[in-house]
Amino acid sequence: MAERRLRTAASVAGTVAAIYVSARLVTTLFFWTAAELSGPTSRFGPDATIPSLAMGWDSQWYWVIADRGYPAQLPVSDTGQVTENAWAFMPLYPWLARALGTLLGGYPAGAIALAVVAGYAASVVLFLLLRDRIGDAAALWAVVFFANGPLAALFQMGYAESLLLLWLFLALWALVRRQFGWIYPLIVVMGFTRPGVLAFALLLGLYGIHRWVQRRQDPLPTSHIVHIIALGALATVVGFSWQVIAGVVTGDPSAYLDTELAWRRSWVGSDEHFLPFAGFVQAAGIWFGIWGIPALWGPVVLILLVAGAAVLLLRSPQVRRLGPEIRLWGASYLVYLLAVFFPQSSVFRLLLPLTPVAAAVAVPRARWWRTGVLVLCLGAQWIWIHEMLALGDTFFRIP
């Protein structure tokens, strides 16, 4: 039996590796083409290379953290307002990348290698998370779409996304299997890789309510109740801990919030204050105005999108096959984004944690459907790389 499990594990790892490596080769080709197309107006200039593209944009902030750490004194503008700084980024990814870089010849090599390896590991866990719900074939297709997806370039850039997805998929897999003990350390590493662990706290709360409602059909032991409450409390504490740490180090209790608002200030003005759920409403009006559409339509379309997402999570047969844990995660993460985020062009990157929900597109078995989805994924990936890296010359081309 043990030998059979080992053979199965090796087969899964090998199949996913073949998918993932082929996808990384395609992305490398896109990177090379983008470097060739990069011109004097691009952020990367006419001499862009694959390594320079891979270490662009927020990769530079992680590199700063790895080299210099976090500022003990917040940088401020001439008007005394906090400006963009490293406190907006969590430390685990740059620290691990720096350690790996000591073996590979420098921080960039460590950062990119960590992103690539974490992306592969996340692909394996995604398959394991999905296969018991939608079957092996559909789960493999979900991995194909994930590895070749619109944001797949991040698996080869100095970004923390692939590492976060690895922790998240592992935590969801443990929740589905009700192996609660594994979730405790995963919550901690999630919380210090990228913002978003508060969404997992909300998931645990909704999951606890779901289990309580279903307790007659699905018994809810006392040990499960204790774990759910403890994990929810831990996720909440970890979710707010970075604000406390930033406040203690800088001596400014609002250091983290002011840092995050610095990125928003150029959009909404100097008197911006955080108000839950206000960011999306503000941004909807701003973006519609930029597109030449009456700003009033922005909130209306936002309401329609939220309603559409709710209907998909509640009613779509393909989404329902994913199971309650993944559907509740989708709802929790969307509520989290609506509560705290101000959507800019980086909104597509912030949707990556919804990958397990998006796996529903792999459920239909028709070959034309799956081939079409793959073509769309590759097309969107090239558009993203071209816009953000080959061009990268204006506010709506910031990944």
Side-chain angles (χ1 to χ4, degrees), residues 5-6 31 36 62 65 109 143 189 203 262 274 282 320 337 355 358 376 378 395:
R5 284 199 298 267
L6 286 174
F31 266 81
E36 291 296 307
Y62 288 116
I65 294 167
V143 171
V189 293
L203 163 64
F274 176 73
Q282 284 179 304
R320 290 176 67 88
L337 283 185
T355 294
L376 288 175
L378 291 171
F395 68 94

Side-chain angles (χ1 to χ4, degrees), residues 244-312:
V244 175
I245 293 170
V248 170
V249 173
T250 63
D252 182 350
S254 62
Y256 176 72
L257 184 57
D258 288 344
T259 296
E260 288 289 355
L261 290 177
W263 265 269
R264 189 184 301 191
R265 193 171 295 121
S266 61
W267 288 79
V268 298
S270 60
D271 297 326
E272 168 65 3
H273 299 285
F274 176 73
L275 181 66
F277 297 100
F280 262 86
V281 177
Q282 284 179 304
I286 291 172
W287 277 106
F288 271 59
I290 291 172
W291 295 332
I293 303 173
L296 182 62
W297 281 101
V300 174
V301 173
L302 176 62
I303 292 172
L304 292 175
L305 288 174
V306 171
V311 170
L312 284 175

Side-chain angles (χ1 to χ4, degrees), residues 27-394:
T27 300
T28 300
L29 176 62
F30 288 165
F31 266 81
W32 178 82
T33 307
E36 291 296 307
L37 293 175
S38 181
T41 60
S42 168
R43 177 185 180 93
F44 300 94
D47 298 322
T49 63
I50 291 176
S52 69
L53 297 182
M55 290 302 297
W57 295 109
D58 286 353
S59 301
Q60 296 293 308
W61 283 112
Y62 288 116
W63 199 347
V64 166
I65 294 167
D67 279 352
R68 306 176 207 165
Y70 293 89
Q73 184 174 357
L74 292 173
V76 295
S77 65
D78 294 338
T79 59
Q81 293 175 314
V82 174
T83 59
E84 299 170 356
N85 65 85
W87 282 109
F89 302 88
M90 304 302 177
L92 185 59
Y93 173 77
W95 288 354
L96 291 176
R98 181 181 62 184
L100 186 58
T102 61
L103 302 175
L104 298 178
Y107 177 81
I112 295 170
L114 179 57
V116 171
V117 173
Y120 165 67
S123 300
V124 173
V125 180
L126 180 64
F127 172 80
L128 297 174
L129 171 64
L130 296 172
R131 67 174 178 178
D132 288 340
R133 298 294 172 84
I134 62 176
D136 285 9
L140 277 178
W141 273 102
V143 171
V144 171
F145 300 150
F146 174 61
N148 292 279
L151 279 296
L154 294 174
F155 300 143
Q156 293 170 232
M157 296 180 70
Y159 275 64
E161 264 70 16
S162 56
L163 188 62
L164 172 69
L165 294 176
L166 172 59
W167 307 140
L168 172 63
F169 296 169
L170 283 169
L172 290 173
W173 189 34
L175 185 65
V176 167
R177 296 167 64 88
R178 300 181 181 177
Q179 296 180 345
F180 299 104
W182 290 103
I183 305 178
Y184 290 92
L186 289 168
I187 283 175
V188 175
V189 293
M190 269 196 291
F192 291 99
T193 299
R194 268 197 56 78
V197 75
L198 288 175
F200 203 84
L202 178 57
L203 163 64
L204 290 163
L206 296 177
Y207 174 76
I209 294 172
H210 168 76
R211 290 289 308 277
W212 178 261
V213 171
Q214 297 293 321
R215 67 190 184 279
R216 291 185 178 178
Q217 296 80 22
D218 181 9
L220 180 60
T222 302
S223 61
H224 287 196
I225 296 175
V226 171
H227 277 303
I228 293 168
I229 294 173
L231 287 167
L234 176 63
T236 302
V237 170
V238 171
F240 287 105
S241 63
W242 192 244
Q243 298 183 38
V244 175
I245 293 170
V248 170
V249 173
T250 63
D252 182 350
S254 62
Y256 176 72
L257 184 57
D258 288 344
T259 296
E260 288 289 355
L261 290 177
W263 265 269
R264 189 184 301 191
R265 193 171 295 121
S266 61
W267 288 79
V268 298
S270 60
D271 297 326
E272 168 65 3
H273 299 285
F274 176 73
L275 181 66
F277 297 100
F280 262 86
V281 177
Q282 284 179 304
I286 291 172
W287 277 106
F288 271 59
I290 291 172
W291 295 332
I293 303 173
L296 182 62
W297 281 101
V300 174
V301 173
L302 176 62
I303 292 172
L304 292 175
L305 288 174
V306 171
V311 170
L312 284 175
L313 289 170
L314 290 171
R315 306 298 299 174
S316 168
Q318 293 80 14
V319 176
R320 290 176 67 88
R321 281 193 57 184
L322 299 171
E325 297 86 358
I326 292 176
R327 292 165 63 210
L328 290 174
W329 164 249
S332 300
Y333 189 71
L334 286 173
V335 168
Y336 167 79
L337 283 185
L338 288 169
V340 306
F341 187 58
F342 182 90
Q344 303 167 36
S345 54
S346 59
V347 67
F348 301 106
R349 175 166 56 90
L350 295 184
L351 293 176
L352 267 176
L354 292 173
T355 294
V357 181
V361 301
V363 172
R365 297 181 180 182
R367 182 175 297 178
W368 68 267
W369 170 263
R370 289 170 169 171
T371 302
V373 171
L374 178 57
V375 170
L376 288 175
C377 284
L378 291 171
Q381 182 185 160
W382 165 244
I383 291 172
W384 191 91
I385 291 172
H386 180 258
E387 293 291 313
M388 306 299 176
L389 303 182
L391 298 181
D393 57 359
T394 188

